[in-house]
Amino acid sequence: GCRRGGGGRGRSRADFAETRIFVENLSFETTWIGLKEHFMAEGYPVAFVSVSETSTGDSKGCGLVQFEEAEAATDAIER
C-alpha cells in the first residue's frame, strides 16, 4: 500500500504537514511529472512531487505533493 514519508532538514514536521497533501486513487499510469504538471496548470506552485512506486517501477496509485505555500495546499484540498 501507500505510505507517507516525512521530515527534512531545517523544517519541522508541522511545517511540512502544512504544505503537503497525500493524493490517493490515482491512475496506475500517473507519473510524478504528470501529477506536478496537473497542479502547476491549476496555478499552484509545487516544490516536490512523488508518485509511490514498487521495486518494479509500477505505480501504487498514490503520491505526495509538496506545495511552496501552505495556502496553496489548503486551496488544492478544498477544490
Side-chain angles (χ1 to χ4, degrees):
C2 298
R3 296 184 186 163
R4 295 180 189 191
R9 295 183 184 164
R11 295 178 107 182
S12 70
R13 284 185 177 260
D15 291 338
F16 278 109
E18 294 177 5
T19 59
R20 291 186 302 188
I21 63 170
F22 184 72
V23 184
E24 295 181 285
N25 298 320
L26 297 172
S27 163
F28 289 108
E29 287 79 37
T30 301
T31 64
W32 70 270
I33 294 171
L35 190 57
K36 181 174 183 174
E37 287 176 350
H38 168 77
F39 283 105
M40 292 192 73
E42 294 293 322
Y44 297 112
V46 176
F48 172 80
V49 175
S50 173
V51 175
S52 299
E53 296 182 356
T54 64
S55 60
T56 63
D58 297 329
S59 173
K60 290 185 177 182
C62 59
L64 181 70
V65 179
Q66 182 176 340
F67 297 88
E68 293 179 5
E69 302 168 358
E71 295 80 19
T74 301
D75 188 56
I77 291 169
E78 292 174 355
R79 281 186 163 189

